Amino acid sequence: MGKDTLSITDNRTGKTYEIPIQEGAIRALDLRQIKNGPDDFGLMTYDPAFTNTAACRSRITFIDGDKGVLLYRGYPIQELAEKSTYLETAYLILNGELPARAQHEDWVHNITYHTMVHENIKELMGSFRYDAHPMGMLVSTVAALSTFYPDAKAIHDPQNRRTQGFRLIAKMPTLAAFVYRHSVGTPYAYPDNELGYCGNFLQMMFKLAGKYRVNPVLERALEVLFILHADHEQNCSTSAMRSVGSSEVDPYSATAAAIAALYGPLHGGANEAVLRMLREIGGRERVPAFIKEVKESGGEVRLMGFGHRVYKNYDPRANIIKKMAEQVFEVTGRNPLLDIALELERIALQDEYFVKRKLYPNVDFYSGLIYQAMGFPVDMFPVLFAIPRTAGWLAQWDEMLQDKDQKIARPRQIYRGPAERPYVPLEARS
Ligand code: CMC
């Protein structure tokens, strides 16, 4: 049986170092002792985009990208999607265990009674242009919540963290629905505490004059989509939450940063980009020409909703959504873009370009089709990602704050700019 160490020989000096291997990793700081001479800073690792760097230990979400496995606190995503609710899953993600009955009742009660937002938020919303992108509005209003709850600064108080957690999870659907109402110009609908988390969100979005009846199939579909989006370990927005949160700022400001990260088309903006792509392709017969364009573009034109940094197999979330789409379309009518999506998937999964690079449909490939069929406008799609991901962001933030190994995030760089030089006055510059 070998030792749990790594021997490194520095061929510049001929010296050999023995470095411990723990939990399948070496500590980057252990490399610092490897020096070329007394003035050398010491060896660093170069890892742009952190493709092979673990920045934390986490007990929340496990992904096996090669096998297409996703577990929240050990529970397979398929079982949660089938048997759980979004709020129960959010509790699990935040607390580590499924709630007992009394804990569940307390949790649901606390979320339900924090759904209202201060009336001034409506004025803030009103100051955006009618065509403002919903994600821009969401980033701003979540950041603004920090000014309504200055007590949130006490981030080292666990009870305070829990209170801000209720507030954020509870208010996200309200803010999201207000953002939508602003864009269409209809009066804001207030939360209805008689309804569940997803049913209430649907009524705040779509209720007009008269009684709004939540369709149980659509409510359940939204519940499942929210469960699938609740956490996904150290992705771009979660890293933003942890990184910004490591400065010990309040959770509203850190969550606003996470939402900004999610806005990008390579992350949460991808479901919106998928819909635009499907519309642009326009018909099944044009799929082969589009695939050809993707392959010949040298990475510039991408098949949106395909590929993943971690999954090198079918994203398990995409599988669940694809199956659920049929149930939703029975209620809403078939989304004609589905045929284009199915054809894209069929051709891509047989094409050497995609097979060789292990590019499979990800969570965003089919989710937009369901959202669209349910009546959500395309630019609301990333907002529909941000609502459920709030539970994951908060859980990761909480874990980070309790982790004694964590400090303010501060990566190193390899400086490649000019060496020190004297200032040149304007008249002397050519
Ligand atoms: N279409 C065409 N080619 C692709 C795609 C795609 N969707 N994704 C990756 N590639 C190619 C890429 O051009 C590169 O080829 P080559 O080796 O010839 O240069 C190779 O595959 C590896 O790509 P990469 O960009 O190095 O991979 P990455 O791990 O940095 O990127 C990704 C992951 C998700 C950003 C990328 O696959 C992508 O841009 N996908 C489309 C956007 C998308 O659907 N994003 C949603 C991700 S899932 C939701 C979430 O977690 O946010």
Side-chain angles (χ1 to χ4, degrees):
M1 181 72 181
K3 273 167 55 184
D4 282 338
T5 61
L6 178 73
S7 292
I8 300 174
T9 302
D10 184 345
N11 293 322
R12 299 170 303 176
T13 58
K15 278 195 194 164
T16 298
Y17 303 81
E18 192 173 349
I19 287 174
I21 300 176
Q22 283 168 353
E23 300 166 286
I26 59 163
R27 286 183 169 250
L29 263 184
D30 284 345
L31 300 176
R32 189 72 74 71
Q33 58 183 304
I34 304 176
K35 293 186 181 194
N36 202 1
D39 294 337
D40 187 7
F41 178 76
L43 203 63
M44 295 190 296
T45 54
Y46 176 61
D47 188 11
F50 301 117
T51 51
N52 196 35
T53 295
C56 63
R57 286 195 187 87
S58 183
R59 296 176 173 276
I60 302 171
T61 292
F62 173 79
I63 302 174
D64 182 332
D66 292 324
K67 297 199 181 116
V69 171
L70 170 60
L71 313 175
Y72 294 159
R73 301 283 190 180
Y75 293 101
I77 192 67
Q78 292 83 351
E79 280 196 53
L80 292 168
E82 195 188 327
K83 298 171 187 159
S84 187
T85 60
Y86 171 68
L87 280 190
E88 184 185 67
T89 300
Y91 182 99
L92 168 71
I93 286 174
L94 278 150
N95 297 286
E97 297 296 334
L98 287 165
R101 190 175 297 280
Q103 290 168 322
H104 186 259
E105 278 168 16
D106 252 23
W107 169 245
V108 172
H109 177 89
N110 275 323
I111 299 291
T112 308
Y113 284 86
H114 281 90
T115 45
M116 283 285 185
V117 292
H118 194 287
E119 283 291 289
N120 286 4
I121 290 281
K122 284 193 343 199
E123 286 166 38
L124 183 71
M125 293 267 176
S127 64
F128 286 97
R129 268 176 56 138
Y130 69 96
D131 59 352
H133 194 285
M135 280 297 264
M137 293 176 72
L138 193 68
V139 170
S140 316
T141 41
V142 169
L145 285 184
S146 70
T147 66
F148 291 88
Y149 303 110
D151 56 317
K153 285 191 178 73
I155 55 153
H156 293 299
D157 171 1
Q159 182 50 45
N160 190 294
R161 289 203 298 274
R162 268 193 291 278
T163 305
Q164 309 316 326
F166 296 146
R167 285 185 175 145
L168 257 166
I169 293 172
K171 291 180 203 313
M172 284 295 277
T174 314
L175 294 179
F178 279 19
V179 161
Y180 168 70
R181 296 256 172 187
H182 172 76
S183 66
V184 289
T186 50
Y188 301 121
Y190 286 97
D192 179 346
N193 289 355
E194 299 295 308
L195 297 172
Y197 191 79
C198 293
N200 175 46
F201 175 52
L202 286 171
Q203 77 81 22
M204 285 192 291
M205 282 287 300
F206 300 122
K207 178 181 154 75
L208 292 169
K211 182 117 185 90
Y212 178 83
R213 278 195 189 77
V214 179
N215 182 300
V217 174
L218 301 188
E219 185 181 14
R220 181 63 203 164
L222 195 59
E223 196 93 55
V224 172
L225 283 160
F226 279 8
I227 291 170
L228 300 183
H229 285 88
D231 192 54
H232 212 231
E233 54 120 304
Q234 309 310 315
N235 52 80
C236 180
S237 57
T238 301
S239 304
M241 181 83 186
R242 280 181 174 261
S243 187
V244 173
S246 76
S247 75
E248 304 200 346
V249 74
D250 68 87
Y252 301 100
S253 303
T255 303
I259 298 171
L262 190 71
Y263 191 0
L266 298 188
H267 191 9
N271 51 14
E272 185 178 350
V274 169
L275 249 278
R276 296 192 198 284
M277 173 188 77
L278 295 176
R279 279 190 192 144
E280 224 166 89
I281 295 171
R284 280 187 66 193
E285 67 292 349
R286 294 176 62 187
V287 167
F290 178 73
I291 295 276
K292 189 162 174 272
E293 192 188 341
V294 169
K295 289 178 357 187
E296 288 173 359
S297 73
E300 212 156 282
V301 181
R302 296 207 160 193
L303 175 47
M304 298 310 285
F306 257 67
H308 200 278
R309 173 64 57 77
V310 181
Y311 292 118
K312 301 300 166 199
N313 199 329
Y314 214 102
D315 180 337
R317 300 169 300 172
N319 242 332
I320 296 168
I321 297 175
K322 190 177 169 186
K323 284 186 196 136
M324 202 173 64
E326 296 298 341
Q327 294 163 27
V328 171
F329 295 158
E330 267 176 36
V331 176
T332 61
R334 194 176 167 82
N335 189 329
L337 297 177
L338 177 66
D339 292 328
I340 304 176
L342 289 170
E343 185 67 355
L344 274 171
E345 181 186 327
R346 191 186 68 77
I347 295 187
L349 292 186
Q350 295 171 5
D351 191 296
E352 205 221 326
Y353 175 95
F354 295 90
V355 173
K356 204 173 94 193
R357 290 169 178 78
K358 299 188 176 169
L359 300 171
Y360 291 86
N362 60 47
V363 68
D364 291 315
F365 195 64
Y366 288 106
S367 61
L369 292 170
I370 299 187
Y371 289 141
Q372 194 188 39
M374 288 169 85
F376 291 100
V378 173
D379 56 7
M380 278 294 285
F381 293 179
V383 172
L384 295 165
F385 194 152
I387 298 172
R389 184 54 61 86
T390 302
W393 290 329
L394 287 166
Q396 301 271 351
W397 170 74
D398 200 79
E399 188 177 67
M400 187 251 323
L401 288 173
Q402 293 187 65
D403 183 346
K404 298 271 180 287
D405 274 2
Q406 295 294 335
K407 295 172 174 216
I408 185 165
R410 194 359 181 138
R412 293 278 172 183
Q413 65 168 9
I414 298 172
Y415 179 66
R416 277 282 171 266
E420 186 177 331
R421 52 185 174 164
Y423 177 78
V424 183
L426 186 57
E427 49 292 359
R429 287 175 224 158
S430 55

